[in-house]
């Protein structure tokens, strides 16, 4: 069973998967700043869900180390008892949430189990920032892929997931977001990446994520090249997507089936 709810119109979600209740990358107020506001400052165009309406949860899963995924102000308000994420964020989590249990993952510790759910860490092969990793949640019968910046699955990744059951749900961005190489290069690889992931994973349902047209200031926004692909009317031309695509345009809880 999979229940899913947006917490903002970008990349924050409530996911209930086989009884495990997770908040994914919660960012429910304020801005996110990468390094300095003159470099990159962003904030939501659509107000996120109110804190009082956030469902009860067992843990928070932080998929990336960047502040639009690890949003300190939101975490301080939520006060989760358990946080799962890349080991690179351990120091920051302990500073922000000194009483929380932190479970870190990296290429050496790439699998954990919580409430009978296996969580796999998919390390990117990129050696320098920006680094965008992936995650897979797996029960006995189905799996969920969390690829918040897209992902390039190589043979080693696929071998590590050989025993993972059918993918019921895949999160991935649809838009192409590209910066010059000196600012990080490709941030979100676009619709061609989605098609390749579909060929490799064969997901039953695909939900676009991290595609909000946010307010932005700073150098990054001036250099960004964005190709918008996540509008439903634009996706009808892709036959491989028609029966898989599900849009979440509001904050209602929905069941994925």
């Amino acid at each position: 069973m999979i229940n899913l709810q947006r917490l903002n119109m970008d990349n924050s979600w409530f996911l209930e998967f086989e009884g495990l209740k997770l908040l994914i990358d919660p960012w429910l107020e304020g801005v996110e700043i990468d390094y300095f506001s003159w470099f990159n400052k962003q904030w939501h165009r659509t107000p996120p869900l109110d804190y009082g309406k956030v469902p009860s949860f067992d843990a928070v899963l932080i998929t990336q180390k960047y502040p639009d995924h690890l949003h300190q102000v939101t975490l301080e308000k939520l006060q989760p008892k358990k946080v799962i994420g890349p080991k690179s964020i351990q120091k920051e989590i302990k500073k922000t949430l000194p009483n929380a249990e932190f479970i870190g993952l990296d290429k050496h510790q790439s699998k954990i189990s919580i409430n009978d759910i296996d969580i796999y860490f998919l390390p990117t092969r990129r050696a320098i920032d920006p680094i965008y990793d992936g995650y897979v949640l797996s029960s006995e019968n189905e799996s969920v892929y969390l690829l918040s910046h897209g992902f390039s699955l190589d043979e080693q990744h696929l071998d590590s997931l050989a025993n993972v059951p059918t993918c019921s749900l895949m999160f991935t961005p649809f838009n192409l977001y590209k910066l010059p190489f000196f600012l990080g290069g490709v941030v979100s690889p676009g619709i061609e990446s989605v098609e390749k992931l579909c060929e490799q994973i064969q997901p039953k349902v695909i939900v676009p994520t991290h595609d909000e047209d946010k307010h932005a200031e700073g150098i990054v926004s001036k250099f960004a090249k964005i190709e918008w692909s996540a509008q439903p009317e634009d996706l009808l031309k892709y036959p491989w997507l028609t029966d898989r695509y599900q849009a979440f345009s509001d904050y209602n809880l929905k069941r994925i089936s």
Side-chain angles (χ1 to χ4, degrees):
M1 181 189 73
I2 301 176
N3 290 322
L4 187 60
Q5 181 180 358
R6 275 195 180 276
L7 304 180
N8 66 28
M9 285 298 154
D10 193 40
N11 190 55
S12 297
W13 298 89
F14 167 78
L15 172 68
E16 182 178 7
F17 178 57
E18 301 292 349
L20 179 63
K21 298 178 180 180
L22 296 174
L23 299 189
I24 300 169
D25 293 346
W27 171 19
L28 301 182
E29 65 172 288
V31 302
E32 70 93 2
I33 296 174
D34 291 297
Y35 307 113
F36 304 97
S37 58
W38 56 262
F39 181 72
N40 187 37
K41 176 181 177 181
Q42 298 190 22
W43 62 101
H44 297 299
R45 196 174 293 273
T46 301
L49 188 71
D50 291 335
Y51 284 100
K53 296 180 180 179
V54 174
S56 62
F57 58 94
D58 301 312
V60 166
L61 174 61
I62 304 296
T63 64
Q64 318 294 338
K65 63 183 180 180
Y66 306 107
D68 53 337
H69 301 267
L70 195 173
H71 194 256
Q72 288 184 326
V73 173
T74 300
L75 291 175
E76 287 172 351
K77 291 281 186 67
L78 291 171
Q79 285 295 308
K81 295 179 180 179
K82 183 179 294 185
V83 178
I84 306 158
K87 284 188 177 178
S88 59
I89 69 172
Q90 182 169 358
K91 178 184 271 188
E92 192 166 356
I93 290 296
K94 286 300 182 182
K95 181 180 179 181
T96 304
L97 301 167
N99 297 319
E101 176 189 2
F102 177 71
I103 303 174
L105 290 158
D106 61 13
K107 63 182 180 181
H108 304 294
Q109 177 64 40
S110 61
K111 178 184 174 184
I112 60 169
S113 295
I114 299 177
N115 296 5
D116 297 323
I117 302 298
D118 294 329
I119 301 178
Y120 294 83
F121 176 78
L122 301 180
T124 181
R125 303 303 181 213
R126 187 180 172 100
I128 58 173
D129 283 333
I131 290 172
Y132 304 120
D133 302 307
Y135 293 81
V136 177
L137 311 181
S138 173
S139 70
E140 185 177 352
N141 301 311
E142 59 184 342
S143 63
V144 174
Y145 282 66
L146 302 169
L147 309 174
S148 58
H149 278 265
F151 202 80
S152 179
L153 284 167
D154 59 26
E155 290 301 319
Q156 188 175 347
H157 291 126
L158 294 172
D159 287 346
S160 70
L161 299 171
N163 295 322
V164 169
T166 301
C167 177
S168 295
L169 170 64
M170 181 175 77
F171 295 87
T172 192
F174 280 48
N175 296 334
L176 173 68
Y177 189 107
K178 188 175 182 180
L179 297 169
F181 74 93
F182 56 86
L183 289 177
V186 175
V187 175
S188 176
I191 196 70
E192 292 182 2
S193 171
V194 181
E195 182 174 11
K196 184 174 181 180
L197 286 169
C198 281
E199 293 173 356
Q200 293 175 306
I201 300 171
Q202 294 295 312
K204 292 180 180 178
V205 172
I206 305 172
V207 171
T209 193
H210 219 350
D211 285 332
E212 182 185 16
D213 179 18
K214 295 182 287 293
H215 294 293
E217 295 178 353
I219 292 174
V220 166
S221 63
K222 297 184 186 305
F223 281 94
K225 174 188 176 184
I226 306 174
E227 293 180 7
W228 303 101
S229 303
Q231 300 304 316
E233 59 271 20
D234 297 329
L235 302 175
L236 296 175
K237 60 185 177 183
Y238 302 111
W240 51 270
L241 188 59
T242 305
D243 296 329
R244 290 174 164 141
Y245 176 80
Q246 285 196 26
F248 278 68
S249 57
D250 55 41
Y251 293 140
N252 295 324
L253 181 70
K254 300 177 185 178
R255 175 165 292 183
I256 300 293
S257 60

